[in-house]
Amino acid sequence: MTDIVTAGPIVVGIDGSEASASALRWAAEQARALRAEVVAVHAWEPSGPRFAPYAPVSARPSADAERDAAARRLADTLREVLGKRADVTVRAELVEGPAVPVLLDRARGALLLALGRAPRQWDDTPVLGAVGRECLRHAPVPVVAVPVPRPARAAVVADGAGSGPRARSPRTAVHAVSG
């Protein structure tokens, strides 16, 4: 049997979104197959500088409160996506700083960088946010943009009264033909 040797961990950007949860789920599956570690990175920045200088101090969250909220967001995403899986090693990193430099720094020496990608727009063009675009431009490793799974289309249910099937989704129309 051939052993799989990996060059490093799979780094995943986590921001609490459904897209980053999809990226984490994908990375965990890949890490299991490759016997690699997952490094889940959540970069956060204090919002203080974004407040106007005349904004009341009571309206500004403290750096400690923001750090705690960021840590909860990371932990909640890990718990929601991975549960109590013991079949893959996951290391969580909470890093203060802008997302792009933090992710690029953590990706050095990694096997790859996995990022979530938002659902497609109405015109079916793929959406990759500013962080994803900058990581694609400058990453020292391959970048995988993992899409959010499309919601399952609603099932068509027959009512059994002979009046034909009813569509449960406005985008799905089914007509029964009796013969």
Side-chain angles (χ1 to χ4, degrees), residues 6-93:
T6 58
I10 297 174
V11 175
V12 185
I14 303 294
D15 65 3
S17 68
E18 185 180 351
S20 70
S22 292
L24 178 59
R25 194 171 297 110
W26 181 88
E29 291 170 12
Q30 296 304 309
R32 187 176 316 104
L34 299 172
R35 296 186 188 110
E37 175 186 42
V38 172
V39 178
V41 179
H42 179 63
W44 71 280
E45 293 182 89
S47 63
R50 291 187 290 249
F51 282 91
Y54 50 82
V57 174
S58 62
R60 301 177 195 183
S62 70
D64 288 340
E66 289 181 311
R67 184 180 312 103
D68 291 346
R72 276 192 310 278
R73 185 173 301 119
L74 177 58
D76 289 348
T77 301
L78 291 172
R79 188 172 29 278
E80 174 188 319
V81 172
L82 302 174
K84 295 181 179 184
R85 285 186 182 168
D87 58 348
V88 64
T89 303
V90 178
R91 180 170 29 114
E93 292 188 10

Side-chain angles (χ1 to χ4, degrees), residues 88-172:
V88 64
T89 303
V90 178
R91 180 170 29 114
E93 292 188 10
L94 181 65
V95 184
E96 183 176 347
V100 173
V102 166
L103 290 170
L104 294 177
D105 178 62
R106 293 307 190 270
R108 286 191 208 329
L111 185 61
L112 57 91
L113 173 61
L115 302 172
R117 183 179 56 100
R120 293 180 179 267
Q121 295 283 16
W122 62 272
D123 62 355
D124 225 21
T125 57
V127 177
L128 193 59
V131 170
R133 287 191 306 269
E134 285 303 304
C135 286
L136 279 172
R137 285 187 189 109
H138 304 289
V141 297
V143 175
V144 178
V146 181
V148 172
R150 287 181 180 229
R153 293 211 175 191
V156 175
V157 179
D159 65 5
S163 62
R166 292 179 305 204
R168 297 275 186 203
S169 169
R171 301 180 85 182
T172 305

